Amino acid sequence: MATASAGEDSRICIYPCYLNSTVSASKGRKIPKDKAVENPTTPQIFDIVHKILKLPAEMQRTRHPKDWKYLGRVRVSLKDDNGSYIKEELCSRKALMIKVAELLPKHPSREGKEGGSGSSSQEPAAAGGVGSLPARKKPSGGKKKK
């Protein structure tokens, strides 16, 4: 019974906000902004960790306390049952997050979205994208009629 809880505690969590360049450090970003990527998703992170880095991982449906917009996290085991690291170069959670952030732009679902002038990522917000609110009419300021 003690080994199951120890195995559970040894896994680390990676939420998308940890790697998101649009999120501030106070809202949850864990790596430097210049190494982070724009709007990573949980399935993309899982694919990188599980299929490319070949680490045991599990995707879970839960939300980060400071970032409720995005659903999901990835739980990763850095050590095997003997307690030794599976990959010596990934011996800390920060090293893993930086490696995942380096590989995310090469993910098949992200190719073509990043790179170039970068103006394409700003156009949807200016054109009424997901985060923008519709323009509201200013009140006239006159007396209300009864």
Side-chain angles (χ1 to χ4, degrees):
M1 188 157 128
T3 57
S5 66
E8 193 74 28
D9 293 338
S10 67
R11 294 188 304 171
I12 65 166
C13 295
I14 301 179
Y15 289 93
C17 66
Y18 289 178
L19 312 174
N20 195 343
S21 63
T22 62
V23 173
S24 67
S26 64
K27 294 285 184 185
R29 184 172 36 84
K30 299 276 188 192
I31 62 174
K33 194 169 191 171
D34 61 331
K35 294 183 180 180
V37 294
E38 189 174 336
N39 298 321
T41 63
T42 305
Q44 291 170 352
I45 295 168
F46 178 77
D47 285 347
I48 297 289
V49 170
H50 188 69
K51 294 179 181 172
I52 296 175
L53 297 176
K54 307 281 189 218
L55 292 171
E58 176 187 3
M59 195 167 27
Q60 297 178 335
R61 294 178 46 91
T62 184
R63 297 177 195 271
H64 189 271
K66 290 185 180 178
D67 190 17
W68 283 82
K69 290 186 291 184
Y70 302 106
L71 179 67
R73 73 176 174 194
V74 178
R75 299 223 36 190
V76 184
S77 296
L78 294 179
K79 296 181 179 181
D80 59 8
D81 294 336
N82 300 332
S84 59
Y85 289 106
I86 297 170
K87 295 198 176 229
E88 290 298 323
E89 68 272 11
L90 300 174
C91 59
S92 69
R93 63 180 70 224
K94 191 162 190 169
L96 175 64
M97 286 188 255
I98 289 173
K99 185 67 173 176
V100 170
E102 287 173 7
L103 295 171
L104 269 170
K106 299 172 188 160
H107 191 272
S109 68
R110 295 185 71 85
E111 288 181 1
K113 291 183 182 179
E114 293 190 35
S117 65
S119 62
S120 62
S121 64
Q122 294 174 352
E123 288 173 11
V130 175
S132 65
L133 296 173
R136 295 184 74 186
K137 219 176 177 184
K138 285 188 174 183
S140 62
K143 266 188 162 179
K144 291 185 181 178
K145 295 183 179 180
K146 294 183 181 180

